[in-house]
Amino acid sequence: MSLPGHVAIIMDGNGRWAEKRGLERIEGHRRGAEIADAASHWCADLGIKYVTLYAFSTENWKRPEREVSFLFELMLVYIASQLQNMLDESVRMRFIGRINDLPEKLREFAKHIEARTASGKKLTVIVALNYGGRAEIVDSVNRFIESQRIDEKRRITEEDITGNLYLPEVPDPDLIIRTSGEERLSNFLMWQSIYSELYFTKTLWPDFTKEEFLEIMEEYSKRKRRFGAHQ
């Protein structure tokens, strides 16, 4: 079976999952964190080298302050609880997004986790945090402009933008999965997703299972990726 080297996931539906059960939305996020951890293990078990998880977008600041605060605290507590497992299993964790705009405690925590797990080789888990695809492109262009001397002004190329993304060395996602029934990318990896295969499922993220994940891998293996070529 042909498997993707990089899977990206839009983990959607936590709030609706909780509301359907008469629970607070934060309980959906708590359950969603457990599924995110499980999905990382599924990827590692299959030999997938990269998984990117859309944890908090630049638009998510519009949510109630209590929910945002809970999400940040959940990340701190849950990721810290999994640190030793990541070290034991040779998992590297990295963060993309406007990390410098996050609360100091979370910002420093992200740096700490990246440093502690930097030697991980089996799987790289990329957490998109305060992330927006358009923001990444803007940041890339500005980073390139700032790197140029005044006498070196020239037209910007695709390679310039790609080389100044948050993690330019990471390959583009082969497959993007979105749960909860929504069928759009919602500002996720806009530059990197041009030839990604897309898979949309109605399953709410907290209900996502290993069985469904394996079914998606089977479906992916049957697709013919042409990258713009005529066949």
Side-chain angles (χ1 to χ4, degrees):
M1 182 166 66
S2 176
L3 291 170
H6 182 180
V7 175
I9 307 176
I10 302 174
M11 307 178 293
D12 199 10
N14 291 341
R16 276 169 282 174
W17 180 89
E19 289 166 358
K20 283 176 62 177
R21 289 160 176 76
L23 303 172
E24 290 191 73
R25 288 174 58 87
I26 60 176
E27 294 305 319
H29 295 310
R30 198 189 310 275
R31 171 63 177 166
E34 296 173 0
I35 302 302
D37 181 49
S40 297
H41 283 90
W42 305 335
C43 288
D45 290 345
L46 290 174
I48 294 168
K49 301 299 291 183
Y50 299 91
V51 57
T52 299
L53 304 173
Y54 203 6
F56 189 86
S57 76
T58 51
E59 289 78 27
N60 287 157
W61 292 103
K62 300 173 185 175
R63 294 182 177 183
E65 184 177 347
R66 179 171 178 269
E67 184 177 348
V68 171
S69 296
F70 176 84
L71 276 169
F72 289 164
E73 189 63 27
L74 178 64
M75 289 180 203
L76 287 167
V77 173
Y78 196 86
I79 293 174
S81 74
Q82 297 301 312
L83 176 57
Q84 190 58 53
N85 288 337
M86 286 191 280
L87 296 174
D88 292 343
E89 297 170 12
S90 193
V91 173
R92 183 179 190 183
M93 180 169 281
R94 307 185 74 180
F95 294 83
I96 57 172
R98 289 182 168 172
I99 307 302
N100 288 337
D101 293 339
L102 292 168
E104 182 180 3
K105 184 178 180 181
L106 185 55
R107 186 170 67 243
E108 293 304 315
F109 177 77
K111 292 178 182 177
H112 170 71
I113 293 296
E114 285 192 327
R116 285 294 307 277
T117 64
S119 62
K121 303 294 184 186
K122 185 174 183 180
L123 172 71
T124 298
V125 177
I126 301 164
V127 180
L129 187 57
N130 194 26
Y131 176 86
R134 287 185 175 183
E136 181 175 21
I137 295 170
V138 170
D139 289 349
S140 172
V141 171
N142 284 325
R143 193 174 293 116
F144 172 75
I145 291 172
E146 291 165 3
S147 71
Q148 303 301 298
R149 295 201 304 269
I150 294 177
D151 60 349
E152 289 181 340
K153 285 184 178 179
R154 60 178 176 78
R155 294 179 67 86
I156 295 175
T157 66
E158 288 189 15
E159 290 74 20
D160 294 327
I161 295 177
T162 298
N164 284 280
L165 295 173
Y166 295 139
L167 295 179
E169 69 277 16
V170 172
D172 292 344
D174 301 293
L175 172 67
I176 298 177
I177 300 168
R178 181 168 187 161
T179 58
S180 88
E182 305 293 347
E183 297 186 358
R184 56 183 180 273
L185 291 180
S186 295
N187 202 18
F188 184 49
L189 302 176
M190 303 303 296
W191 185 266
Q192 300 93 328
S193 63
I194 55 170
Y195 285 116
S196 301
E197 294 295 316
L198 307 179
Y199 190 98
F200 302 106
T201 172
K202 293 182 180 179
T203 302
L204 300 176
W205 179 246
D207 288 328
F208 195 65
T209 65
K210 183 177 183 179
E211 289 71 26
E212 182 168 9
F213 180 75
L214 293 176
E215 289 174 4
I216 294 171
M217 294 302 104
E218 181 69 29
E219 162 67 20
Y220 171 87
S221 71
K222 297 175 182 176
R223 296 188 183 185
K224 296 187 182 299
R225 304 185 69 199
R226 297 186 174 87
F227 300 96
H230 295 287
Q231 292 185 16

